């Protein structure tokens, strides 16, 4: 009887860790991805595809005539808005606000984006349409990676968790810059000017101390609409809009930025990101054998995430520590830092998003990219978890 109670307590504790706290978002995202793969490989595969890709008879915005477009260009703008809020807060009042503290995460994130891109190009080649996928393995999925850390509980030092979050935030900023610079179609000048005028109005409202939520939201939606029609990807509007939100602390001890971030993070974690995962992770596995897995695009992405990410980040940490540029995070061992670097190879959300942008005229390559992202992210999550699970509780 006592043994049964002990087992029940351990099971309850494990479920609490999985479904509560920071692990919850990652678990829900995993479930959404699994559901998408099941749907795409079941008798419902045509219904699954039609649900997201069939054109609507009527839509309030002509450019968004499918559910898939509304999710990727609409809801994901909210995701990028929250990412922008986190980046601004970290730069002005967080780990990235101090020049000495931001040295290591910036260096690690830069190496962690360059190395996977290089691995991809070495495997997939730099000619033809496949070269546009170089940025797919360069991104890290915060929700997924933090979810794995949450499952480990107190085995992971707080400094390591904070460092991973900081690296992932810098990584997100780099991914946003890549989308804006390399995955933007021809720009419609009139809509681009309109977007700049709306942005100027947002900046003016911030500088004048305006604290009207309806005004900022109305201007933010207008900015998104202008950017959507300009040819620049609409999600960039979310980040730019976030940078105009005031962070100044008011009389009540909070700010517009902190309130919006606090209000939107749950929607991001439990609705937007899982819905995006369900809409984009469904890849048909029928007919894919060993030869399919070794095609240039899926192999390049998988190796970029699984090998390139950990190699780039861990090498940057070792070099920075050895030359005295920046010491490793306090209270961490090299084994734990290696495990953290491996977890950064989980590129799910942002990698799938960039994959859809990289091959707009090649649906087959988009499916191959999904396969590479899923394999690379799965291998990174399993190995990263195993390393941190077996790592010493105390730094070496």
């Amino acid at each position: 009887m006592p043994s049964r109670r002990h087992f029940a307590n351990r099971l309850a504790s494990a479920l609490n860790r999985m479904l509560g706290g920071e692990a919850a978002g990652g678990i829900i995202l995993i479930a959404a991805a699994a559901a998408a793969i099941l749907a795409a490989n079941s008798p419902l595969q045509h219904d699954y595809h039609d649900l997201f890709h069939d054109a609507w008879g009527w839509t309030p915005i002509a450019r968004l005539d499918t559910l898939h477009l509304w999710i990727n260009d609409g809801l994901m703008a909210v995701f990028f808005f929250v990412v922008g809020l986190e980046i601004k807060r970290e730069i002005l009042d967080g780990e990235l606000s101090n020049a000495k503290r931001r040295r290591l995460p910036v260096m690690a994130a830069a190496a962690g984006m360059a190395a996977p891109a290089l691995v991809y190009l070495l495997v997939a080649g730099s000619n033809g349409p496949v070269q546009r996928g170089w940025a797919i393995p360069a991104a890290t999925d915060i929700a997924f990676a933090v979810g794995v850390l949450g499952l480990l509980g107190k085995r992971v030092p707080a400094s390591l968790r904070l460092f991973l979050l900081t690296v992932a935030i810098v990584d997100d900023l780099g991914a946003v810059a890549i989308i804006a610079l390399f995955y933007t179609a021809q720009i419609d000048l009139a809509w681009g000017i309109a977007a700049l005028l709306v942005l100027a109005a947002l900046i003016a409202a911030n500088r004048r101390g305006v604290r009207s939520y309806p005004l900022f939201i109305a201007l933010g939606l207008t900015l998104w609409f202008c950017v959507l029609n300009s040819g620049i990807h609409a999600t960039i509007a979310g980040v730019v809009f976030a940078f105009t939100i005031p962070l100044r602390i008011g009389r009540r001890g909070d700010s517009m930025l902190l309130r919006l971030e606090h209000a939107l993070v749950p929607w991001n974690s439990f609705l937007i990101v899982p819905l995006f995962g369900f809409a984009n992770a469904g890849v048909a596995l029928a007919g894919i054998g060993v030869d399919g897995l070794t095609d240039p695009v899926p192999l390049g992405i998988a190796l970029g995430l699984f090998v390139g990410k950990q190699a780039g980040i861990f090498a940057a940490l070792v070099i920075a520590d050895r030359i005295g540029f920046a010491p490793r995070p306090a209270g961490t061992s090299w084994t734990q830092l290696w495990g953290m670097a491996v977890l950064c190879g989980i590129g799910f959300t942002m990698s799938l998003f960039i994959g859809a942008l990289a091959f707009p005229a090649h649906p087959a390559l988009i499916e191959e990219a999904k396969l590479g992202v899923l394999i690379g992210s799965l291998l990174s999550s399993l190995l990263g978890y195993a390393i941190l699970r077996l790592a010493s509780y105390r730094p070496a």
Side-chain angles (χ1 to χ4, degrees), residues 179-210:
I179 292 171
L181 294 174
F182 298 100
Y183 295 109
T184 295
Q186 293 182 345
I187 298 177
D188 185 304
L189 188 59
W191 282 108
I193 293 174
L196 290 175
L197 291 175
V198 177
L199 177 60
L202 282 164
I203 295 173
N206 184 328
R207 295 182 68 86
R208 288 180 174 274
V210 176

Side-chain angles (χ1 to χ4, degrees), residues 128-130 132 183 185 354-367:
V130 298
R132 286 179 53 83
Y183 295 109
I354 295 176
L357 298 179
F359 309 118
H362 303 276
L365 291 181
I366 294 178
E367 295 302 303

Side-chain angles (χ1 to χ4, degrees), residues 132-172:
R132 286 179 53 83
W134 63 270
I136 297 173
T140 295
D141 190 287
I142 296 179
F144 230 131
V146 172
V148 175
L149 286 183
L151 296 177
L152 292 161
K154 295 182 179 180
R155 286 180 175 272
V156 179
S159 58
L160 189 70
R161 181 179 284 103
L162 179 61
F163 185 73
L164 183 144
L165 283 170
T166 309
V167 170
I169 287 172
V170 177
D171 193 294
D172 278 348

Side-chain angles (χ1 to χ4, degrees), residues 310 314 317 333-343 383 387:
Q310 59 173 299
F314 192 67
L317 295 176
S333 67
W334 285 115
T335 303
Q336 291 170 330
L337 288 172
W338 175 36
M340 182 276 302
V342 174
L343 284 185
L383 180 60
I387 293 171

Side-chain angles (χ1 to χ4, degrees), residues 180-243:
L181 294 174
F182 298 100
Y183 295 109
T184 295
Q186 293 182 345
I187 298 177
D188 185 304
L189 188 59
W191 282 108
I193 293 174
L196 290 175
L197 291 175
V198 177
L199 177 60
L202 282 164
I203 295 173
N206 184 328
R207 295 182 68 86
R208 288 180 174 274
V210 176
R211 294 296 181 270
S212 171
Y213 286 88
L215 175 63
F216 271 92
I217 292 172
L219 288 174
L221 289 173
T222 305
L223 176 66
W224 169 79
F225 184 74
C226 292
V227 172
L228 174 68
N229 287 281
S230 71
I232 302 171
H233 201 273
T235 52
I236 300 300
V239 178
V240 174
F241 177 36
F243 288 168

Side-chain angles (χ1 to χ4, degrees), residues 293 298 302 305-306 369-381:
L293 297 177
L305 287 170
F306 184 58
K370 292 179 182 180
L371 186 62
V373 170
L374 292 172
I375 293 173
S377 298
L378 178 62
L379 292 175
S380 297
S381 60

